[in-house]
Every structure is written in structure tokens, then in C-alpha cells.
Amino acid sequence: YANFFGEFQLGEWQTNIGYMGWFFIAPLLIPFYIIYTLFLALLSMFLTKKIGREKSVSDMLWLAWIIYLLAPWLSIFVAFIYALLVFYLLRIVFAFDLRSAKSRVGKAKKLELNL
């Protein structure tokens, strides 16, 4: 059916090999592949716990593991970890800003009480 749409060219195809497929392609690299995958999983778990402990956050992590790691779309999963890192840094920045704002409000109330 590809001939109906134009001439077939090899450069236009892109496939993703499944997780177990890499074990047959590069059997000597199996330990590195497993260690890298475990590292990504543990890093994503660490960042989601730092972001929040709500049930929706853990559900998001399980969904990302199922969709990105089992396919495996490791580059997309790495981008997901980058996004988690950005959200974690934003949480730190805004938490610091809220703490400093609360301390300023507390100081202002003390000054009002002293006047």
C-alpha cells in the first residue's frame, strides 16, 4: 500500500524497539541498560516525592512508567524527569518566597503591636 502514496524511501521510517528487544540486539549491554532504567525510575520517584505526596502525583508517576518505560521511550522519560526537576525547583523558589513573605508580614504585625 505504500506505493500508492509515493516512492518508498528507507530514510522516512522510525521505530522504537521494545524493552526486551534490546536484550537480543546488545546482550553484552544488558546490565548497563537495566542500571540506567533503574536510575531513571528511582530519580523520578525521588522527584515526585519531593514535589508532593498526593495520590495524583503517585498516579502520574505510575502512568509515566507504564507509558514511557515499557514502550520504551527513554528519551521522552528523560524529558519527563527534566519537567519534574523544573517543577521541584519552582516549588523551592515559591516556597522560599512564601516563607519570606510570611516573615515580613509577621514583622509588620509586631511593629504595629509595638506602636
Side-chain angles (χ1 to χ4, degrees):
Y1 293 106
N3 292 332
F4 291 122
F5 299 110
E7 190 175 316
F8 178 76
Q9 296 177 1
L10 289 175
E12 297 178 10
W13 287 86
Q14 180 180 9
T15 61
N16 289 315
I17 298 169
Y19 192 84
M20 294 304 292
W22 284 105
F23 293 167
F24 295 106
I25 292 173
L28 296 177
L29 299 177
I30 290 173
F32 297 111
Y33 192 59
I34 291 173
I35 289 170
Y36 180 66
T37 306
L38 288 175
F39 172 73
L40 290 178
L42 291 174
L43 184 61
S44 64
M45 190 180 347
F46 172 75
L47 288 172
T48 53
K49 292 216 183 270
K50 289 293 186 180
I51 289 174
R53 297 193 182 267
E54 294 85 18
K55 184 170 176 18
S56 61
V57 175
S58 64
D59 289 343
M60 174 195 62
L61 178 63
W62 283 111
L63 182 64
W65 281 1
I66 290 171
I67 292 174
Y68 301 140
L69 281 183
L70 292 182
W73 294 328
L74 292 179
S75 60
I76 296 174
F77 193 73
V78 170
F80 171 72
I81 291 175
Y82 284 145
L84 288 176
L85 184 64
V86 168
F87 278 106
Y88 177 59
L89 293 175
L90 286 173
R91 182 179 171 112
I92 290 173
V93 168
F94 287 122
F96 178 75
D97 189 37
L98 287 174
R99 279 184 266 155
S100 63
K102 286 180 183 178
S103 67
R104 283 182 282 185
V105 169
K107 289 177 185 176
K109 285 184 180 180
K110 285 181 184 177
L111 286 175
E112 286 178 7
L113 292 174
N114 290 337
L115 295 177

